[in-house]
Structures are given as structure tokens and as C-alpha cells.
Amino acid sequence: MIRGLSYLSANRALLGKAFVCAALGAVLNTSAALGQSAPSVPSADEVPIAILVDVTSGQVLHSRNADRRFVPASITKVMTMFHAFELIEEGSLDPSQILTMRDETWQEWNGEGSTMWINAGDQVPVDDLLMGIANISANDGAIMLAQGQAGTTANWVGGMNLRARALGMTNSHFGTPNGWPDEGKTFTTANDLITLAEALIGRHPDKFRRYIGLPGFRYNGIEQTNHDPLIGRTRGADGIKTGYTNEAGFGYLGTAQRGGQRLVLVVAGVGRNALRARSARAYMEWGFDAFDRERLFASGQTVGSARVQGGNARNVALQTDRTVFVNVPSGRAADLRLSIMYDGPLRAPFAAGDRVATLVIEVPDMEPARVPLIAAEAVDEAGFFARIINGIAGWFG
């Protein structure tokens, strides 16, 4: 239960920019019994790189070396899937489109690692290729899709990297469509993979449900099983992708959803397949069980206001665009610090629904959660005389 919610305004400078911070001091009392021991996460010796994020609250529940670069191996195929989903939305790719396996592509990729066993000259719908890439990690399918849509794998990979940069994946680069070893040209970080997963699920929920997280896939009369360590074992799990090479070790990008709460996990550099599976399941259960989840604000609720410069209004109300939750370690009473931050005063004009500020939620011993806030109404640019009046009013606070 949230008590003592108050609003205090103060201006401060941060990194050379003027930001406004409205402190919303609050105390959250958890209902779990004090002294109850929470399950633990796998050790650094077992899992050297890991991050677990509640994407519905924006909170990082656990992080270990999340900005360390590593080789993603077949997790690369998630970027191929995202690129394909974006192309479908843009009208440059159609799931019903038929592609043909080139002779030279078959000679290079037949039987190389995980495969759909596509034969030379086979005509395969894009829909089947996406199923194979997502659920049986088809190396041949990824190359066939890339060449069939973009002409060459280089052109396709160029598109993947443009998508990555647009998402803000600043510590990632892709050299292949399928993650095959390429002397270190392909690399990423756990934080960047969380960004990718959020975009994949958030922008393309229907495609995510259709293509990702199936138990397996059958092609050319060959039934193969999805090796995802959570599907069918962890309640609410629905994908996303494993990866392995001798160089990379065992990695995993996965997600599970329970009661409207979605967690996304990355583990990388794990030494054994069985340890990856056990660690992934342990992380997910810990994430759902070790915290009390409390609702702070309803979707569309006004949580504060921001000053406006050059507009026909001097202030604008700030609202949430989603229901806002917070996770607090079970069995502990925690002080919450809530603040509203924006680069301000906001410059008009802007429309109702524009993202103009951020709600920052700080829980002791956890990384802050950041939730976007939107303008409750449009603010147009002020006329000449209104700007003069607003400027004079600003001199007097």
C-alpha cells in the first residue's frame, strides 16, 4: 500500500542540461513476513553474464556484466526475425512469398549446424522459413531468407545493423543472418538484447505469438524439437532463442509472462547446456517469486505537471500511458523515491499523447525504473503577445 504520497518541485542541472525533477516521496509496505528467505540467483561462476528485467515495470531485477560484449551465436537470429517482422510491416516482405533455395547456398549450408534440411531448388514460403528460424534455429533458412529478400546476405545484414542502431543497440554488430562464427564480427551485450526483445514483443505481438515459442517444427517430413530451456517447463514461458558455439558457450534470450507481468532474461557464456537450462529456470522463478509487485498508478492517471515555454499554456499535465507497477524485494519494507524528469521547460508545440517526460522509480539496492509520461493535452505555439506576457510572467516565477 502506498502512503504519504507528496509532490515537491525543484529544478536541477544534469549533464549540462536543465531538467525538472518533481519528487514524489512514498513508502511502500510489503505484506510478506519479515525474515522470510528469498531464493537466490545463479553464481557468477555458473553464469558470467546475466540480466533479468521486468519489462512491464521497466525494472532491472538482476544484472551482471550486462554491458560486456559477447558472441551471441544463434541468438543473432532474433535480429533476423525482428528485421523480417519490420519488413513485413513495411510491405517489403510477405509471409506467403515463395523463395527458392539456390544451388550454391545449398552446397554451402546443407547440414551445417541446425538446419531445416532444405534441398537445392526447393521453393519455400517465407512463413515456413520464419517458423524454422525461430523454433529449430535453421541456419539454411536464415541464409535463404536473407538472400531471397535482399539479394545478398551482405545486404540483409546491412539492414539488420540499421535496425539495431535505430533501436539504440549501441554495443551490437551483426556479421551474419544466423550467428555462424565470423571471427568476432558479430557481437552484442545483454542490455542490447533486452532492448531487442522489448521491440520484438512490443512492436510485433501478433507475429511474436505466431512464430516464436512453438514446441518444434516439421519440414520435409523431418520433425525437430525446439531446445528452448523454458518452454513446457516454466509456467508462462513463450520463447525466445538459444545460442551456442564453441567460442560463445551457451547463451539464451527468453521471456515468460504471468498475470500481466512479463520478465525478459539474458544469460551468456555458460559452460554447459544443462547448466544454462537450470540457470534460466532458476532466474525466472526467482524473478516471479522474490518480489512483491505493487501498483502505483493506473493507465492514464495524472502524476504531475511540467512547465512549458513558448506555448498557449504555461503548464501541461503529465499522465501515464500504462499501468505502473513496482517490484520490491519480498519481506522488506522499502522507501520508494519517485521523480519526474524532463528536459525543460518543454518547448511548444506538442500534441496530446506525446512522450515528454519520464517517471523515475527508485527502490533501494535496485537500478531505477524509468516509465514514459505523456502530455495530457496538446499545447500550441503561443502568439506574439502571449509570448511577451509569458516571458514577463517567467521573470517573476
Side-chain angles (χ1 to χ4, degrees):
M1 181 174 63
I2 303 300
R3 296 177 179 172
L5 198 61
S6 61
Y7 293 75
L8 304 173
S9 298
N11 294 335
R12 69 177 180 181
L14 179 63
L15 299 177
K17 290 185 177 181
F19 283 79
V20 174
C21 172
L24 316 175
V27 175
L28 184 148
N29 295 319
T30 62
S31 58
L34 293 176
Q36 179 181 354
S37 60
S40 59
V41 300
S43 70
D45 290 337
E46 295 173 316
V47 182
I49 298 172
I51 188 169
L52 180 66
V53 178
D54 180 347
V55 296
T56 47
S57 71
Q59 279 182 284
V60 177
L61 304 182
H62 172 79
S63 179
R64 178 185 295 146
N65 298 318
D67 286 319
R68 179 191 293 178
R69 290 180 176 180
F70 64 90
V71 176
S74 283
I75 300 174
T76 297
K77 296 183 179 83
V78 182
M79 178 54 76
T80 280
M81 295 293 294
F82 177 74
H83 184 36
F85 291 174
E86 293 279 286
L87 289 170
I88 291 171
E89 289 297 309
E90 294 164 0
S92 300
L93 187 67
D94 191 318
S96 64
Q97 184 177 345
I98 305 296
L99 303 181
T100 302
M101 173 62 82
R102 301 175 183 177
D103 290 345
E104 62 272 21
T105 303
W106 178 83
Q107 291 173 2
E108 181 178 1
W109 289 101
N110 180 48
E112 289 289 349
S114 302
T115 176
M116 284 174 64
W117 299 106
I118 305 170
N119 296 316
D122 277 1
Q123 294 186 317
V124 186
V126 167
D127 189 71
D128 282 352
L129 293 174
L130 293 175
M131 291 287 188
I133 295 165
N135 297 291
I136 59 172
S137 198
N139 289 319
D140 52 353
I143 298 296
M144 184 177 175
L145 175 65
Q147 293 178 344
Q149 193 282 331
T152 66
T153 55
N155 288 342
W156 178 272
V157 167
M160 291 169 63
N161 285 313
L162 287 175
R163 302 281 186 199
R165 287 195 290 274
L167 291 177
M169 297 172 63
T170 56
N171 284 308
S172 297
H173 184 268
F174 300 96
T176 70
N178 57 13
W180 197 256
D182 60 1
E183 299 179 344
K185 295 184 181 68
T186 298
F187 57 84
T188 191
T189 67
N191 268 326
D192 277 2
L193 288 181
I194 293 293
T195 298
L196 175 58
E198 287 189 83
L200 183 80
I201 299 166
R203 293 192 191 183
H204 305 288
D206 293 340
K207 297 179 185 65
F208 177 81
R209 285 190 293 268
R210 172 171 176 76
Y211 291 108
I212 293 174
L214 303 181
F217 183 63
R218 182 182 182 87
Y219 180 77
N220 263 354
I222 302 172
E223 185 78 34
Q224 298 186 64
T225 300
N226 190 335
H227 296 297
D228 187 288
L230 299 187
I231 294 174
R233 300 175 179 89
T234 298
R235 182 166 60 89
D238 48 3
I240 302 172
K241 190 74 191 69
T242 57
Y244 168 75
T245 64
N246 289 332
E247 176 188 13
F250 292 89
Y252 178 58
L253 168 62
T255 182
Q257 186 173 22
R258 297 179 188 174
Q261 180 184 21
R262 179 174 289 281
L263 304 186
V264 177
L265 169 70
V266 178
V267 296
V270 183
R272 304 188 311 279
N273 183 28
L275 180 57
R276 172 182 62 185
R278 186 168 67 248
S279 298
R281 292 194 283 270
Y283 265 118
M284 278 297 180
E285 295 301 339
W286 175 83
F288 284 115
D289 293 344
F291 298 87
D292 291 325
R293 189 168 185 250
E294 302 286 346
R295 193 177 86 159
L296 297 183
F297 301 106
S299 179
Q301 184 172 345
T302 297
V303 300
S305 64
R307 292 178 56 199
V308 178
Q309 181 177 7
N312 60 359
R314 295 184 59 195
N315 296 280
V316 64
L318 301 174
Q319 295 181 340
T320 59
D321 66 350
R322 67 197 70 181
T323 304
V324 179
F325 293 91
V326 65
N327 296 283
V328 177
S330 296
R332 291 170 51 188
D335 292 332
L336 289 183
R337 292 186 59 198
L338 310 184
S339 58
I340 296 171
M341 300 191 69
Y342 60 95
D343 189 358
L346 302 176
R347 292 188 176 274
F350 49 83
D354 282 355
R355 293 186 176 186
V356 294
T358 301
L359 174 66
V360 181
I361 307 168
E362 297 177 78
V363 179
D365 302 321
M366 296 179 66
E367 294 186 22
R370 291 175 171 82
V371 179
L373 295 176
I374 60 175
E377 59 272 332
V379 176
D380 295 325
E381 190 172 1
F384 176 74
F385 291 108
R387 289 199 300 271
I388 293 176
I389 293 172
N390 287 342
I392 294 173
W395 294 342
F396 295 97

mmCIF file of all heavy atoms in Angstrom, residues 2-11 20-27 296-298 300-306 316-320 324 336-342 358-360 373:
data_model
loop_
_atom_site.group_PDB
_atom_site.id
_atom_site.type_symbol
_atom_site.label_atom_id
_atom_site.label_comp_id
_atom_site.label_asym_id
_atom_site.label_seq_id
_atom_site.Cartn_x
_atom_site.Cartn_y
_atom_site.Cartn_z
ATOM 1 N N ILE A 2 0.570 2.203 -0.834
ATOM 2 C CA ILE A 2 1.347 3.432 -0.933
ATOM 3 C C ILE A 2 0.771 4.466 0.022
ATOM 4 O O ILE A 2 -0.422 4.721 0.030
ATOM 5 C CB ILE A 2 1.311 3.994 -2.370
ATOM 6 C CG1 ILE A 2 1.825 2.930 -3.343
ATOM 7 C CG2 ILE A 2 2.127 5.247 -2.478
ATOM 8 C CD1 ILE A 2 3.218 2.494 -3.059
ATOM 9 N N ARG A 3 1.645 5.042 0.830
ATOM 10 C CA ARG A 3 1.197 6.043 1.791
ATOM 11 C C ARG A 3 2.069 7.283 1.692
ATOM 12 O O ARG A 3 3.225 7.222 1.298
ATOM 13 C CB ARG A 3 1.279 5.481 3.211
ATOM 14 C CG ARG A 3 0.351 4.300 3.466
ATOM 15 C CD ARG A 3 0.533 3.762 4.865
ATOM 16 N NE ARG A 3 -0.369 2.639 5.111
ATOM 17 C CZ ARG A 3 -0.324 1.887 6.199
ATOM 18 N NH1 ARG A 3 0.556 2.146 7.146
ATOM 19 N NH2 ARG A 3 -1.172 0.891 6.347
ATOM 20 N N GLY A 4 1.472 8.402 2.091
ATOM 21 C CA GLY A 4 2.255 9.630 2.203
ATOM 22 C C GLY A 4 2.757 10.157 0.879
ATOM 23 O O GLY A 4 3.847 10.715 0.813
ATOM 24 N N LEU A 5 1.996 9.968 -0.190
ATOM 25 C CA LEU A 5 2.421 10.444 -1.496
ATOM 26 C C LEU A 5 2.357 11.962 -1.524
ATOM 27 O O LEU A 5 1.333 12.567 -1.253
ATOM 28 C CB LEU A 5 1.498 9.856 -2.582
ATOM 29 C CG LEU A 5 2.012 9.884 -4.017
ATOM 30 C CD1 LEU A 5 3.291 9.090 -4.141
ATOM 31 C CD2 LEU A 5 0.952 9.331 -4.950
ATOM 32 N N SER A 6 3.476 12.592 -1.839
ATOM 33 C CA SER A 6 3.506 14.060 -1.856
ATOM 34 C C SER A 6 4.244 14.532 -3.089
ATOM 35 O O SER A 6 5.030 13.808 -3.676
ATOM 36 C CB SER A 6 4.204 14.590 -0.598
ATOM 37 O OG SER A 6 5.536 14.129 -0.530
ATOM 38 N N TYR A 7 4.002 15.763 -3.483
ATOM 39 C CA TYR A 7 4.585 16.344 -4.684
ATOM 40 C C TYR A 7 5.422 17.554 -4.286
ATOM 41 O O TYR A 7 4.906 18.516 -3.717
ATOM 42 C CB TYR A 7 3.490 16.782 -5.661
ATOM 43 C CG TYR A 7 2.695 15.640 -6.245
ATOM 44 C CD1 TYR A 7 1.738 14.983 -5.487
ATOM 45 C CD2 TYR A 7 2.911 15.212 -7.547
ATOM 46 C CE1 TYR A 7 1.008 13.927 -6.014
ATOM 47 C CE2 TYR A 7 2.185 14.162 -8.075
ATOM 48 C CZ TYR A 7 1.234 13.533 -7.314
ATOM 49 O OH TYR A 7 0.525 12.507 -7.834
ATOM 50 N N LEU A 8 6.696 17.516 -4.579
ATOM 51 C CA LEU A 8 7.592 18.641 -4.313
ATOM 52 C C LEU A 8 8.342 18.932 -5.595
ATOM 53 O O LEU A 8 8.814 18.023 -6.256
ATOM 54 C CB LEU A 8 8.583 18.295 -3.187
ATOM 55 C CG LEU A 8 7.974 17.852 -1.847
ATOM 56 C CD1 LEU A 8 9.084 17.377 -0.921
ATOM 57 C CD2 LEU A 8 7.220 19.000 -1.205
ATOM 58 N N SER A 9 8.468 20.182 -5.963
ATOM 59 C CA SER A 9 9.124 20.543 -7.221
ATOM 60 C C SER A 9 10.454 21.200 -6.958
ATOM 61 O O SER A 9 10.618 21.977 -6.033
ATOM 62 C CB SER A 9 8.244 21.502 -8.038
ATOM 63 O OG SER A 9 7.033 20.875 -8.374
ATOM 64 N N ALA A 10 11.429 20.873 -7.804
ATOM 65 C CA ALA A 10 12.746 21.501 -7.710
ATOM 66 C C ALA A 10 13.404 21.417 -9.066
ATOM 67 O O ALA A 10 13.201 20.480 -9.815
ATOM 68 C CB ALA A 10 13.602 20.808 -6.655
ATOM 69 N N ASN A 11 14.210 22.417 -9.408
ATOM 70 C CA ASN A 11 14.956 22.408 -10.647
ATOM 71 C C ASN A 11 16.394 21.985 -10.370
ATOM 72 O O ASN A 11 16.952 22.295 -9.334
ATOM 73 C CB ASN A 11 14.981 23.805 -11.285
ATOM 74 C CG ASN A 11 13.606 24.227 -11.729
ATOM 75 O OD1 ASN A 11 12.767 23.383 -11.998
ATOM 76 N ND2 ASN A 11 13.368 25.525 -11.791
ATOM 77 N N VAL A 20 13.881 19.122 -14.929
ATOM 78 C CA VAL A 20 12.983 19.378 -13.806
ATOM 79 C C VAL A 20 12.715 18.048 -13.120
ATOM 80 O O VAL A 20 12.423 17.051 -13.762
ATOM 81 C CB VAL A 20 11.664 20.016 -14.285
ATOM 82 C CG1 VAL A 20 10.695 20.144 -13.130
ATOM 83 C CG2 VAL A 20 11.949 21.377 -14.902
ATOM 84 N N CYS A 21 12.837 18.029 -11.817
ATOM 85 C CA CYS A 21 12.610 16.819 -11.045
ATOM 86 C C CYS A 21 11.534 17.097 -10.014
ATOM 87 O O CYS A 21 11.727 17.947 -9.145
ATOM 88 C CB CYS A 21 13.907 16.381 -10.357
ATOM 89 S SG CYS A 21 13.705 15.031 -9.184
ATOM 90 N N ALA A 22 10.414 16.411 -10.111
ATOM 91 C CA ALA A 22 9.355 16.532 -9.112
ATOM 92 C C ALA A 22 9.418 15.310 -8.233
ATOM 93 O O ALA A 22 9.184 14.200 -8.687
ATOM 94 C CB ALA A 22 7.987 16.635 -9.787
ATOM 95 N N ALA A 23 9.781 15.483 -6.980
ATOM 96 C CA ALA A 23 9.944 14.336 -6.079
ATOM 97 C C ALA A 23 8.600 13.903 -5.544
ATOM 98 O O ALA A 23 7.821 14.720 -5.076
ATOM 99 C CB ALA A 23 10.874 14.713 -4.927
ATOM 100 N N LEU A 24 8.337 12.608 -5.626
ATOM 101 C CA LEU A 24 7.087 12.055 -5.143
ATOM 102 C C LEU A 24 7.429 11.059 -4.042
ATOM 103 O O LEU A 24 7.432 9.848 -4.257
ATOM 104 C CB LEU A 24 6.320 11.352 -6.278
ATOM 105 C CG LEU A 24 6.255 12.094 -7.623
ATOM 106 C CD1 LEU A 24 5.578 11.225 -8.651
ATOM 107 C CD2 LEU A 24 5.526 13.413 -7.466
ATOM 108 N N GLY A 25 7.770 11.536 -2.855
ATOM 109 C CA GLY A 25 8.233 10.651 -1.799
ATOM 110 C C GLY A 25 7.127 9.714 -1.354
ATOM 111 O O GLY A 25 6.005 10.134 -1.140
ATOM 112 N N ALA A 26 7.447 8.436 -1.201
ATOM 113 C CA ALA A 26 6.427 7.470 -0.801
ATOM 114 C C ALA A 26 7.070 6.332 -0.052
ATOM 115 O O ALA A 26 8.236 6.039 -0.224
ATOM 116 C CB ALA A 26 5.686 6.933 -2.019
ATOM 117 N N VAL A 27 6.269 5.673 0.776
ATOM 118 C CA VAL A 27 6.717 4.481 1.480
ATOM 119 C C VAL A 27 5.823 3.328 1.072
ATOM 120 O O VAL A 27 4.602 3.452 1.069
ATOM 121 C CB VAL A 27 6.644 4.677 3.013
ATOM 122 C CG1 VAL A 27 6.998 3.382 3.733
ATOM 123 C CG2 VAL A 27 7.572 5.799 3.435
ATOM 124 N N LEU A 296 1.294 1.314 -8.655
ATOM 125 C CA LEU A 296 1.456 2.708 -8.233
ATOM 126 C C LEU A 296 0.426 3.625 -8.882
ATOM 127 O O LEU A 296 -0.168 4.469 -8.214
ATOM 128 C CB LEU A 296 2.860 3.207 -8.579
ATOM 129 C CG LEU A 296 4.042 2.520 -7.897
ATOM 130 C CD1 LEU A 296 5.334 3.203 -8.309
ATOM 131 C CD2 LEU A 296 3.884 2.534 -6.389
ATOM 132 N N PHE A 297 0.248 3.486 -10.196
ATOM 133 C CA PHE A 297 -0.653 4.381 -10.923
ATOM 134 C C PHE A 297 -1.432 3.582 -11.962
ATOM 135 O O PHE A 297 -0.911 2.631 -12.558
ATOM 136 C CB PHE A 297 0.118 5.501 -11.634
ATOM 137 C CG PHE A 297 0.938 6.363 -10.718
ATOM 138 C CD1 PHE A 297 2.315 6.241 -10.681
ATOM 139 C CD2 PHE A 297 0.331 7.296 -9.887
ATOM 140 C CE1 PHE A 297 3.092 7.025 -9.840
ATOM 141 C CE2 PHE A 297 1.091 8.090 -9.042
ATOM 142 C CZ PHE A 297 2.476 7.949 -9.017
ATOM 143 N N ALA A 298 -2.646 4.015 -12.221
ATOM 144 C CA ALA A 298 -3.436 3.433 -13.301
ATOM 145 C C ALA A 298 -3.024 4.044 -14.632
ATOM 146 O O ALA A 298 -2.438 5.127 -14.683
ATOM 147 C CB ALA A 298 -4.924 3.680 -13.044
ATOM 148 N N GLY A 300 -3.287 6.231 -17.720
ATOM 149 C CA GLY A 300 -3.983 7.490 -17.946
ATOM 150 C C GLY A 300 -4.093 8.374 -16.729
ATOM 151 O O GLY A 300 -4.713 9.443 -16.787
ATOM 152 N N GLN A 301 -3.472 7.971 -15.615
ATOM 153 C CA GLN A 301 -3.546 8.775 -14.402
ATOM 154 C C GLN A 301 -2.562 9.936 -14.462
ATOM 155 O O GLN A 301 -1.433 9.795 -14.913
ATOM 156 C CB GLN A 301 -3.233 7.913 -13.174
ATOM 157 C CG GLN A 301 -3.386 8.643 -11.851
ATOM 158 C CD GLN A 301 -3.253 7.708 -10.667
ATOM 159 O OE1 GLN A 301 -3.317 6.482 -10.821
ATOM 160 N NE2 GLN A 301 -3.064 8.273 -9.482
ATOM 161 N N THR A 302 -2.984 11.107 -14.012
ATOM 162 C CA THR A 302 -2.103 12.275 -13.943
ATOM 163 C C THR A 302 -1.218 12.156 -12.707
ATOM 164 O O THR A 302 -1.716 11.957 -11.592
ATOM 165 C CB THR A 302 -2.917 13.572 -13.886
ATOM 166 O OG1 THR A 302 -3.674 13.699 -15.100
ATOM 167 C CG2 THR A 302 -2.004 14.786 -13.741
ATOM 168 N N VAL A 303 0.088 12.286 -12.907
ATOM 169 C CA VAL A 303 1.027 12.120 -11.794
ATOM 170 C C VAL A 303 1.810 13.393 -11.501
ATOM 171 O O VAL A 303 2.581 13.444 -10.546
ATOM 172 C CB VAL A 303 2.003 10.956 -12.056
ATOM 173 C CG1 VAL A 303 1.244 9.658 -12.227
ATOM 174 C CG2 VAL A 303 2.880 11.230 -13.271
ATOM 175 N N GLY A 304 1.650 14.419 -12.310
ATOM 176 C CA GLY A 304 2.375 15.668 -12.098
ATOM 177 C C GLY A 304 2.156 16.604 -13.260
ATOM 178 O O GLY A 304 1.251 16.407 -14.080
ATOM 179 N N SER A 305 2.981 17.630 -13.342
ATOM 180 C CA SER A 305 2.879 18.597 -14.434
ATOM 181 C C SER A 305 4.263 19.074 -14.810
ATOM 182 O O SER A 305 5.229 18.894 -14.064
ATOM 183 C CB SER A 305 1.998 19.786 -14.038
ATOM 184 O OG SER A 305 2.592 20.497 -12.966
ATOM 185 N N ALA A 306 4.361 19.688 -15.974
ATOM 186 C CA ALA A 306 5.627 20.221 -16.468
ATOM 187 C C ALA A 306 5.426 21.641 -16.962
ATOM 188 O O ALA A 306 4.364 21.987 -17.495
ATOM 189 C CB ALA A 306 6.163 19.341 -17.603
ATOM 190 N N VAL A 316 1.599 21.818 -18.450
ATOM 191 C CA VAL A 316 0.853 20.708 -19.037
ATOM 192 C C VAL A 316 0.851 19.554 -18.041
ATOM 193 O O VAL A 316 1.857 19.276 -17.380
ATOM 194 C CB VAL A 316 1.467 20.264 -20.384
ATOM 195 C CG1 VAL A 316 2.878 19.711 -20.201
ATOM 196 C CG2 VAL A 316 0.574 19.243 -21.082
ATOM 197 N N ALA A 317 -0.295 18.902 -17.911
ATOM 198 C CA ALA A 317 -0.397 17.738 -17.034
ATOM 199 C C ALA A 317 0.319 16.547 -17.671
ATOM 200 O O ALA A 317 0.303 16.363 -18.895
ATOM 201 C CB ALA A 317 -1.860 17.397 -16.778
ATOM 202 N N LEU A 318 0.953 15.733 -16.832
ATOM 203 C CA LEU A 318 1.685 14.550 -17.283
ATOM 204 C C LEU A 318 0.950 13.305 -16.826
ATOM 205 O O LEU A 318 0.597 13.168 -15.652
ATOM 206 C CB LEU A 318 3.104 14.555 -16.706
ATOM 207 C CG LEU A 318 3.966 15.762 -17.054
ATOM 208 C CD1 LEU A 318 5.283 15.705 -16.299
ATOM 209 C CD2 LEU A 318 4.211 15.837 -18.559
ATOM 210 N N GLN A 319 0.720 12.389 -17.764
ATOM 211 C CA GLN A 319 -0.038 11.178 -17.478
ATOM 212 C C GLN A 319 0.774 9.930 -17.827
ATOM 213 O O GLN A 319 1.693 9.976 -18.642
ATOM 214 C CB GLN A 319 -1.343 11.155 -18.282
ATOM 215 C CG GLN A 319 -2.327 12.240 -17.911
ATOM 216 C CD GLN A 319 -3.601 12.155 -18.733
ATOM 217 O OE1 GLN A 319 -3.622 11.547 -19.805
ATOM 218 N NE2 GLN A 319 -4.673 12.764 -18.241
ATOM 219 N N THR A 320 0.390 8.828 -17.227
ATOM 220 C CA THR A 320 0.969 7.539 -17.589
ATOM 221 C C THR A 320 0.306 7.017 -18.858
ATOM 222 O O THR A 320 -0.867 7.297 -19.117
ATOM 223 C CB THR A 320 0.762 6.526 -16.458
ATOM 224 O OG1 THR A 320 -0.645 6.399 -16.213
ATOM 225 C CG2 THR A 320 1.449 6.994 -15.175
ATOM 226 N N VAL A 324 1.260 1.441 -13.983
ATOM 227 C CA VAL A 324 2.631 1.472 -13.480
ATOM 228 C C VAL A 324 2.735 0.593 -12.239
ATOM 229 O O VAL A 324 2.032 0.803 -11.247
ATOM 230 C CB VAL A 324 3.070 2.909 -13.146
ATOM 231 C CG1 VAL A 324 4.496 2.922 -12.592
ATOM 232 C CG2 VAL A 324 2.981 3.788 -14.396
ATOM 233 N N LEU A 336 10.328 4.183 -1.292
ATOM 234 C CA LEU A 336 10.348 4.477 -2.721
ATOM 235 C C LEU A 336 10.631 5.958 -2.925
ATOM 236 O O LEU A 336 10.106 6.796 -2.197
ATOM 237 C CB LEU A 336 8.994 4.152 -3.359
ATOM 238 C CG LEU A 336 8.596 2.694 -3.515
ATOM 239 C CD1 LEU A 336 7.259 2.624 -4.233
ATOM 240 C CD2 LEU A 336 9.647 1.944 -4.281
ATOM 241 N N ARG A 337 11.443 6.248 -3.923
ATOM 242 C CA ARG A 337 11.623 7.629 -4.354
ATOM 243 C C ARG A 337 11.149 7.721 -5.793
ATOM 244 O O ARG A 337 11.675 7.062 -6.678
ATOM 245 C CB ARG A 337 13.088 8.046 -4.258
ATOM 246 C CG ARG A 337 13.612 8.134 -2.833
ATOM 247 C CD ARG A 337 15.012 8.700 -2.829
ATOM 248 N NE ARG A 337 15.040 10.020 -3.438
ATOM 249 C CZ ARG A 337 16.158 10.607 -3.885
ATOM 250 N NH1 ARG A 337 17.309 9.976 -3.809
ATOM 251 N NH2 ARG A 337 16.111 11.816 -4.406
ATOM 252 N N LEU A 338 10.119 8.528 -6.001
ATOM 253 C CA LEU A 338 9.568 8.730 -7.331
ATOM 254 C C LEU A 338 9.878 10.154 -7.763
ATOM 255 O O LEU A 338 9.711 11.094 -6.986
ATOM 256 C CB LEU A 338 8.050 8.513 -7.340
ATOM 257 C CG LEU A 338 7.514 7.227 -6.702
ATOM 258 C CD1 LEU A 338 6.008 7.149 -6.891
ATOM 259 C CD2 LEU A 338 8.197 6.017 -7.275
ATOM 260 N N SER A 339 10.305 10.304 -8.998
ATOM 261 C CA SER A 339 10.590 11.639 -9.501
ATOM 262 C C SER A 339 10.187 11.736 -10.958
ATOM 263 O O SER A 339 10.164 10.744 -11.683
ATOM 264 C CB SER A 339 12.080 11.983 -9.345
ATOM 265 O OG SER A 339 12.887 11.052 -10.018
ATOM 266 N N ILE A 340 9.837 12.949 -11.360
ATOM 267 C CA ILE A 340 9.501 13.238 -12.753
ATOM 268 C C ILE A 340 10.645 14.049 -13.336
ATOM 269 O O ILE A 340 11.016 15.094 -12.789
ATOM 270 C CB ILE A 340 8.175 14.004 -12.867
ATOM 271 C CG1 ILE A 340 7.027 13.144 -12.348
ATOM 272 C CG2 ILE A 340 7.916 14.434 -14.308
ATOM 273 C CD1 ILE A 340 5.717 13.891 -12.211
ATOM 274 N N MET A 341 11.183 13.589 -14.442
ATOM 275 C CA MET A 341 12.309 14.282 -15.065
ATOM 276 C C MET A 341 11.994 14.584 -16.524
ATOM 277 O O MET A 341 11.409 13.760 -17.226
ATOM 278 C CB MET A 341 13.579 13.447 -14.948
ATOM 279 C CG MET A 341 13.999 13.143 -13.517
ATOM 280 S SD MET A 341 15.659 12.438 -13.392
ATOM 281 C CE MET A 341 16.642 13.871 -13.862
ATOM 282 N N TYR A 342 12.386 15.793 -16.935
ATOM 283 C CA TYR A 342 12.237 16.177 -18.334
ATOM 284 C C TYR A 342 13.216 17.294 -18.648
ATOM 285 O O TYR A 342 13.683 18.014 -17.762
ATOM 286 C CB TYR A 342 10.803 16.614 -18.648
ATOM 287 C CG TYR A 342 10.289 17.798 -17.852
ATOM 288 C CD1 TYR A 342 10.369 19.091 -18.365
ATOM 289 C CD2 TYR A 342 9.701 17.618 -16.609
ATOM 290 C CE1 TYR A 342 9.893 20.177 -17.641
ATOM 291 C CE2 TYR A 342 9.221 18.693 -15.881
ATOM 292 C CZ TYR A 342 9.321 19.975 -16.404
ATOM 293 O OH TYR A 342 8.847 21.050 -15.683
ATOM 294 N N THR A 358 9.716 11.596 -18.051
ATOM 295 C CA THR A 358 9.980 10.247 -17.559
ATOM 296 C C THR A 358 9.697 10.179 -16.065
ATOM 297 O O THR A 358 10.124 11.057 -15.312
ATOM 298 C CB THR A 358 11.441 9.847 -17.815
ATOM 299 O OG1 THR A 358 11.707 9.902 -19.219
ATOM 300 C CG2 THR A 358 11.717 8.436 -17.307
ATOM 301 N N LEU A 359 8.977 9.149 -15.653
ATOM 302 C CA LEU A 359 8.790 8.857 -14.237
ATOM 303 C C LEU A 359 9.905 7.910 -13.812
ATOM 304 O O LEU A 359 10.044 6.814 -14.363
ATOM 305 C CB LEU A 359 7.427 8.210 -14.000
ATOM 306 C CG LEU A 359 7.147 7.716 -12.575
ATOM 307 C CD1 LEU A 359 7.076 8.887 -11.598
ATOM 308 C CD2 LEU A 359 5.851 6.896 -12.532
ATOM 309 N N VAL A 360 10.710 8.334 -12.850
ATOM 310 C CA VAL A 360 11.821 7.528 -12.346
ATOM 311 C C VAL A 360 11.420 6.942 -10.994
ATOM 312 O O VAL A 360 11.032 7.681 -10.079
ATOM 313 C CB VAL A 360 13.103 8.367 -12.208
ATOM 314 C CG1 VAL A 360 14.257 7.503 -11.707
ATOM 315 C CG2 VAL A 360 13.461 9.013 -13.540
ATOM 316 N N LEU A 373 6.175 9.311 -19.566
ATOM 317 C CA LEU A 373 4.975 10.084 -19.267
ATOM 318 C C LEU A 373 4.584 10.877 -20.505
ATOM 319 O O LEU A 373 5.451 11.365 -21.242
ATOM 320 C CB LEU A 373 5.223 11.032 -18.097
ATOM 321 C CG LEU A 373 5.503 10.377 -16.745
ATOM 322 C CD1 LEU A 373 5.826 11.445 -15.702
ATOM 323 C CD2 LEU A 373 4.330 9.515 -16.288
#
